[in-house]
Amino acid sequence: MKDKATLQSINAAEEDPHTGLSKEALKHAFLDNLFYVQGKFPELATQHDYYLALAYTVRDRLLHCWISTAETYTRQKARTVVYFSAEFLLGPHLGNNLLNLGIAEQVRQVLPELGLIYDELLRQEVEPGLGNGGLGRLAACFLDSMATLEIPSLGYGIRYEFGIFAQEIINGWQEEKTDKWLRFGNPWEIQRPEWAVEIKLGGHTETYLDTTETMRVRWIPGWTVLGTPYDTPILGYHNNTANTLRLWKAEATESFDLGNFNRGDYYGAVQKKLVSENITKILYPNDEQIQGKELRLQQQYFFVSCSLQDMLRIMQVQEIPLTQFHEKFTVQLNDTHPAVAIPELMRLLVDEHAMEWDSAWAITQKTFAYTNHTLLPEALEQWPLNLFARILPRHLEIILEINSRFLNEVRIRFLGDTERLARLSLINEAGERYIRMAHLASVGSHAINGVAALHTELLKKDVLADFYTLWPEKFSNKTNGITPRRWLALSNPKLTKLISQNIGESWIKELSHLKQLEPFAEEPSFRSEWRYIKRSIKEDFASYLRHSTGYIIDPQSLFEVQVKRIHEYKRQHLSVLHIISLYHRMKSNPNKDFVPRTFIFGGKAAPGYYMAKLIIKLITSVGDVINNDPAVRDRLKVVFMPNFNVSNGQRIYPIADLSEQISTAGKEASGTGNMKFCMNGALTIGTLDGANIEIREQVGAENFFLFGLDADEVQTLKSQGYNPMDIYHSNPELKAVIDLISDGYFSGGDRELFRPIVNTLLQGDNYMLLADYQSFVDCQNQVGLAYLDTEHWTRMSILNVARSSLFSSDRTIQEYSRDIWKVNPVKIDLLTQEDVKKSMQAFL
């Protein structure tokens, strides 16, 4: 009789080496990949080799789903959602794929048998920094949800060689370091050189008569580059769907000039390669100089042209007529970065496929839908006409034609209203002429949506008001969401275990089931477990922080967190004013009791945004003074966590007691960090801005700390002639706080260092910090009192999680699918070996 170990080995041997899910099968596959893919044996292998062996073991199992999905979509000619985004901030793949495959526990058991540590291997993965923040993270959540909901989809973007910069804090200042995320390769992608496409740039256009004596336009490019696709599988949670993220890399059509080389011109021999590859070299090159603007426009056009040509190839493979392009594909524009896709599709249909203008325009409008992500006028993308003409001469002609036809419609509808014509025009004629990309996206799309209830209303009333008057039926709201797989199940395993033990695991895929947690908020024993887990998570973080940064923090203190892009409208410096007020009170009343607080900041400032960088310096300088003052350092700590990214976010969101969402009302489109904190049990202190409004409605006003002016009050106060100096002189505590900054207390006596911040606050205060200061401080006093009542605080924390289901990206995607995309789920059955044989026989 065979023993248990022998039987396991036999069973493992019988399993497919690439798809088997048993412990033994996974172990054999892992060792095979170490040997045959990495070319290493244990004595020579590094931790990174072991990570790659595990990654390839997981990828093998993904490929079965991936190929089965592609085969099903191709066979059924499935209607497909195409997501165009300049950013995809995916985060590390390995942990997420293990969770979605449902084999994390098997792998946890296998690795110790090999002398390896699960968490250590996961930490080896360098996350792809292909996004700046919320925009790219939202795109990643949407891909996850579409796969989980079995929605056929393709994500298209750019494979940046260097992603968002790595942030270091040196002497309190942000310094940018190159993000070399591809240095050790990327096991999750597959290069597809056979599907490369050629992209034209520059040059000029000329007219000609085709064979039917019809006048046509031909684009004669100044140069061309090659776009090569790299595919990454995006797996759904506990299903067989694996959709595709296809990212494009720019390459030279001829990478080496042998003639130049033989003449001794060694630089000239590779110049085309260097220039071409610059297009996808780095995420968001600094566009303060004209060269940076040109490169950004090239990036945007490059990836949408590659993608549209690829979509036409797919139609050809599936033998779908060109006239059904909008029936096969529905394209969502993630903000205006991909809006140049509208004239590019027109060019492909009219110039390359000889379609009549009206037919092509009807297809184009039915294909595209536009998501707006900003209310800030300076963030609404515009391109100078001269620059656009240099890079995309044919597209400028097409945009001018679109504009001419569109304005003719407006003239008929609004006779004599020349001001409306000027406001609606795709061309901004004030001073230097610019192309308004938000206008182009609005005209060329059949649907326009905002990303939170307030944001959508403000789009209708202000930013896109004239378009709403023209086409109210185009507008809808689609409040953002986040995937609960990464942002709770993966990032907060201890809380996930507690929730699942009490209500089951179905909530991971159907977040509305979290509602079943509500009754547990009334049970003292459950609240005790909840607090124990929260304390444990905070202790783990405190240990990590001490070893990684040297900060020493008290896990029993109130953790107040603000992590997001550093920007004046997000008002990290309002939090600093409150911190200084607490410090001032503690110094003035040394014997008074204060709730111990730890303030944790994180986020990157754009390299060219001086004020944002100065805010980081202010945070770190205030922290240096407070953290080294023996009179307060046990009660007040200030931490700036460098290089905030997805990996660090997974550490930070679970540890927060209080989430700061304190942007000026009417400035934040939505926010998703607020949702991540809420879903992990943090309470929110915030303004009525973005999705804060919906969070407060869902969790209950009594479980949300509200302060500040609302959007209408902000506008009213500004229209009445807001004067921040009046508030400065009438509020003694605020005056003392600002005077401490301006007198050099936090800058070693240097009165000039933070003068730009002080002057901005006192001489204009566009983001209304002083107007909201007292309300914020008063609300923070309420927070302190609430935190002292641990039972009530815990109850509020539980209810925040239980009532967070609206903020699942699954719900958002269901709304897009129903209202805009008109697409249905497609169930995937895994291909069997017999299916593969039949397919090959049919091919042969």
Side-chain angles (χ1 to χ4, degrees):
M1 183 174 177
K2 297 180 176 68
D3 61 23
K4 184 177 179 182
T6 303
L7 286 171
Q8 286 177 335
S9 295
I10 292 172
N11 290 336
E14 291 174 350
E15 285 186 273
D16 188 299
H18 300 297
T19 60
L21 299 179
S22 71
K23 277 179 56 181
E24 288 302 313
L26 289 167
K27 185 188 294 186
H28 282 296
F30 175 83
L31 293 172
D32 277 355
N33 282 319
L34 181 67
F35 189 84
Y36 291 108
V37 178
Q38 290 307 104
K40 293 284 183 75
F41 55 93
E43 287 80 0
L44 292 183
T46 65
Q47 287 294 302
H48 196 264
D49 287 319
Y50 287 126
Y51 153 71
L52 287 172
L54 180 56
Y56 285 118
T57 300
V58 173
R59 196 187 80 171
D60 285 346
R61 282 134 187 85
L62 284 180
L63 285 173
H64 193 195
C65 298
W66 201 12
I67 293 170
S68 299
T69 301
E71 190 277 338
T72 302
Y73 292 168
T74 301
R75 175 168 38 82
Q76 295 188 10
K77 303 181 181 181
R79 178 166 168 81
T80 302
V81 176
V82 171
Y83 203 77
F84 276 6
S85 181
E87 302 181 29
F88 285 97
L89 196 55
L90 299 165
H93 290 274
L94 180 55
N96 203 65
N97 284 332
L98 287 168
L99 173 74
N100 285 355
L101 278 172
I103 60 172
E105 191 54 41
Q106 292 98 304
V107 171
R108 281 186 182 275
Q109 294 171 15
V110 164
L111 292 179
E113 296 176 10
L114 299 169
L116 299 169
I117 300 171
Y118 178 88
D119 290 331
E120 180 63 28
L121 291 197
L122 262 62
R123 282 194 288 269
Q124 298 301 311
E125 183 170 0
V126 179
E127 72 172 75
L130 305 182
N132 184 45
L135 190 78
R137 189 51 235 165
L138 180 76
C141 286
F142 280 6
L143 294 184
D144 175 276
S145 286
M146 283 188 277
T148 296
L149 294 170
E150 302 178 315
I151 302 293
S153 69
L154 256 173
Y156 281 115
I158 301 174
R159 184 182 181 268
Y160 303 100
E161 183 178 344
F162 304 110
I164 186 67
F165 61 86
Q167 180 195 55
E168 292 184 8
I169 303 298
I170 300 177
N171 295 323
W173 290 96
Q174 168 180 295
E175 293 201 10
E176 300 94 26
K177 305 295 181 181
T178 305
D179 172 34
K180 301 175 184 177
W181 73 281
L182 285 169
R183 180 174 46 176
F184 297 115
N186 177 12
W188 304 105
E189 67 182 8
I190 293 180
Q191 184 183 8
R192 309 286 196 188
E194 69 277 15
W195 293 338
V197 296
E198 193 170 272
I199 304 301
K200 302 175 183 179
L201 291 161
H204 63 279
T205 64
E206 62 183 27
T207 57
Y208 70 99
L209 291 176
D210 67 12
T211 55
T212 65
E213 297 299 307
T214 302
M215 186 69 71
R216 299 287 182 188
V217 178
R218 180 186 293 123
W219 181 10
I220 311 299
W223 71 99
T224 59
V225 298
L226 206 63
T228 300
Y230 287 72
D231 287 359
T232 300
I234 305 297
L235 186 69
Y237 178 74
H238 289 194
N239 63 22
N240 298 326
T241 299
N243 290 327
T244 298
L245 170 62
R246 183 160 292 161
L247 301 178
W248 298 94
K249 177 185 177 182
E251 299 177 335
T253 52
E254 188 63 54
S255 60
F256 188 78
D257 189 319
L258 186 60
N260 280 340
F261 185 84
N262 288 334
R263 287 190 294 272
D265 183 4
Y266 303 132
Y267 174 77
V270 296
Q271 184 179 16
K272 286 183 179 179
K273 175 180 172 63
L274 296 174
V275 171
S276 297
E277 290 183 357
N278 273 342
I279 291 178
T280 55
K281 188 67 73 175
I282 192 165
L283 171 71
Y284 291 157
N286 192 336
D287 63 357
E288 291 181 315
Q289 304 299 321
I290 190 64
Q291 293 88 346
K293 286 185 172 65
E294 288 183 355
L295 185 53
R296 285 190 64 167
L297 180 58
Q298 289 173 21
Q299 284 185 339
Q300 292 179 11
Y301 174 67
F302 168 79
F303 100 80
V304 300
S305 181
C306 287
S307 305
L308 287 168
Q309 290 187 61
D310 191 57
M311 291 156 68
L312 291 172
R313 177 192 61 79
I314 291 170
M315 291 192 66
Q316 188 174 25
V317 168
Q318 297 183 12
E319 299 180 336
I320 301 172
L322 193 61
T323 53
Q324 294 176 20
F325 187 89
H326 59 287
E327 297 173 17
K328 167 62 181 175
F329 295 113
T330 175
V331 180
Q332 193 69 38
L333 303 175
N334 194 23
D335 217 354
T336 56
H337 306 122
V340 72
I342 292 167
E344 171 64 1
L345 181 56
M346 287 295 292
R347 184 191 72 83
L348 291 168
L349 295 178
V350 173
D351 294 356
E352 302 293 332
H353 292 275
M355 190 177 288
E356 293 304 313
W357 179 280
D358 289 343
S359 299
W361 184 240
I363 290 171
T364 298
Q365 280 191 310
K366 290 174 184 176
T367 296
F368 292 107
Y370 162 49
T371 300
N372 175 283
H373 283 282
T374 185
L375 293 164
L376 301 176
E378 64 271 20
L380 290 172
E381 198 170 41
Q382 298 190 102
W383 292 109
L385 252 66
N386 290 337
L387 182 152
F388 206 92
R390 266 198 317 277
I391 306 299
L392 301 172
R394 177 55 180 147
H395 298 76
L396 177 59
E397 294 174 353
I398 291 171
I399 289 170
L400 293 175
E401 180 67 17
I402 292 170
N403 194 42
S404 174
R405 293 174 180 238
F406 166 60
L407 292 182
N408 282 338
E409 293 178 26
V410 176
R411 285 188 185 93
I412 293 171
R413 185 160 171 183
F414 301 99
L415 289 171
D417 194 342
T418 56
E419 291 184 0
R420 186 183 299 270
L421 281 171
R423 293 196 305 268
L424 281 167
S425 175
L426 306 190
I427 310 300
N428 184 348
E429 304 280 359
E432 184 182 1
R433 300 173 76 202
Y434 287 87
I435 300 172
R436 296 161 161 163
M437 300 307 284
H439 289 211
L440 175 62
S442 298
V443 172
S445 300
H446 69 274
I448 303 165
N449 71 277
V451 291
L454 175 64
H455 172 233
T456 301
E457 289 309 306
L458 291 173
L459 285 181
K460 295 176 183 178
K461 288 167 53 179
D462 184 14
V463 180
L464 299 176
D466 288 308
F467 290 99
Y468 180 66
T469 300
L470 199 61
W471 300 307
E473 70 282 357
K474 279 192 181 187
F475 284 75
S476 68
N477 177 59
K478 299 289 174 278
T479 296
N480 283 342
I482 60 170
T483 167
R485 269 76 63 184
R486 181 177 292 275
W487 293 115
L488 183 49
L490 181 63
S491 63
N492 202 340
K494 292 181 179 179
L495 190 62
T496 293
K497 185 177 179 181
L498 176 64
I499 294 170
S500 296
Q501 283 174 341
N502 286 275
I503 67 170
E505 295 183 350
S506 63
W507 62 270
I508 300 175
K509 196 167 184 177
E510 182 46 75
L511 202 62
S512 62
H513 294 179
L514 281 181
K515 197 78 173 171
Q516 297 169 32
L517 273 180
E518 282 208 33
F520 291 92
E522 307 305 326
E523 294 185 11
S525 60
F526 185 80
R527 293 200 298 269
S528 178
E529 288 186 83
W530 192 274
R531 281 195 302 277
Y532 173 80
I533 286 172
K534 188 72 171 185
R535 173 70 183 275
S536 172
I537 296 167
K538 291 169 70 175
E539 287 173 348
D540 291 344
F541 179 78
S543 176
Y544 162 78
L545 197 66
R546 181 171 187 172
H547 287 100
S548 62
T549 67
Y551 284 113
I552 299 174
I553 60 175
D554 177 11
Q556 294 189 72
S557 64
L558 191 161
F559 280 15
E560 187 163 342
V561 186
Q562 188 178 178
V563 287
K564 55 185 66 190
R565 181 164 50 96
I566 308 295
H567 196 291
E568 289 170 276
Y569 89 81
K570 294 179 184 288
R571 302 200 298 190
Q572 285 89 353
H573 44 337
L574 176 58
S575 183
V576 175
L577 296 182
H578 170 241
I579 293 169
I580 297 173
S581 75
L582 284 176
Y583 178 65
H584 184 256
R585 290 181 201 172
M586 289 179 181
K587 296 287 283 186
S588 303
N589 304 279
N591 297 319
K592 186 176 179 180
D593 287 335
F594 289 89
V595 173
R597 299 194 192 216
T598 299
F599 292 89
I600 300 171
F601 294 88
K604 297 177 181 179
Y609 191 173
Y610 175 74
M611 284 297 289
K613 288 186 167 183
L614 192 58
I615 288 171
I616 292 176
K617 176 61 175 174
L618 177 63
I619 294 168
T620 57
S621 296
V622 169
D624 286 343
V625 171
I626 290 175
N627 298 342
N628 291 293
D629 188 333
V632 303
R633 65 186 178 197
D634 293 332
R635 295 178 291 170
L636 195 60
K637 282 288 174 70
V638 180
V639 172
F640 190 94
M641 191 171 178
N643 203 40
F644 182 67
N645 55 15
V646 174
S647 299
N648 285 331
Q650 289 178 211
R651 291 189 178 97
I652 290 176
Y653 291 115
I655 59 99
D657 295 303
L658 187 70
S659 158
E660 284 198 1
Q661 307 298 329
I662 60 176
S663 54
T664 313
K667 298 296 183 183
E668 184 73 84
S670 170
T672 53
N674 48 6
M675 302 171 186
K676 292 163 195 165
F677 282 118
C678 174
M679 200 175 287
N680 279 276
L683 308 188
T684 305
I685 182 169
T687 53
L688 288 176
D689 194 33
N692 285 357
I693 296 170
E694 286 138 295
I695 289 176
R696 184 169 178 262
E697 289 172 351
Q698 293 298 309
V699 305
E702 69 280 7
N703 300 311
F704 185 106
F705 296 101
L706 176 66
F707 79 95
L709 304 171
D710 64 26
D712 289 337
E713 289 168 338
V714 166
Q715 292 304 317
T716 299
L717 184 55
K718 285 186 174 182
S719 67
Q720 291 172 348
Y722 170 56
N723 185 358
M725 287 294 290
D726 291 342
I727 299 175
Y728 168 76
H729 287 300
S730 64
N731 189 322
E733 183 181 66
L734 174 60
K735 185 176 186 303
V737 166
I738 291 179
D739 288 351
L740 282 171
I741 299 172
S742 60
D743 289 345
Y745 187 87
F746 299 104
S747 50
D750 184 350
R751 298 167 61 91
E752 296 302 314
L753 179 59
F754 298 121
R755 188 169 297 282
I757 290 178
V758 172
N759 287 346
T760 298
L761 294 178
L762 296 181
Q763 295 174 13
D765 191 20
N766 289 333
Y767 298 107
M768 315 296 277
L769 276 77
L770 272 55
D772 277 347
Y773 169 82
Q774 193 58 52
S775 177
F776 185 49
V777 169
D778 292 343
C779 192
Q780 286 281 12
N781 292 338
Q782 296 173 29
V783 168
L785 292 172
Y787 192 69
L788 292 172
D789 186 345
T790 56
E791 292 292 341
H792 184 56
W793 185 278
T794 306
R795 182 180 182 277
M796 291 193 292
S797 174
I798 296 167
L799 290 176
N800 265 259
V801 176
R803 297 171 179 176
S804 64
S805 64
L806 178 73
F807 307 107
S808 168
S809 51
D810 296 351
R811 185 269 314 154
T812 313
I813 291 301
Q814 286 168 338
E815 291 182 6
Y816 274 105
S817 299
R818 181 192 67 218
D819 301 336
I820 295 177
W821 301 334
K822 313 297 184 186
V823 64
N824 297 313
V826 173
K827 185 172 180 59
I828 305 300
D829 294 318
L830 292 179
L831 291 171
T832 64
Q833 290 298 322
E834 190 62 32
D835 292 329
V836 174
K837 288 179 183 176
K838 287 180 180 177
S839 176
M840 297 304 289
Q841 287 170 353
F843 174 75
L844 293 172

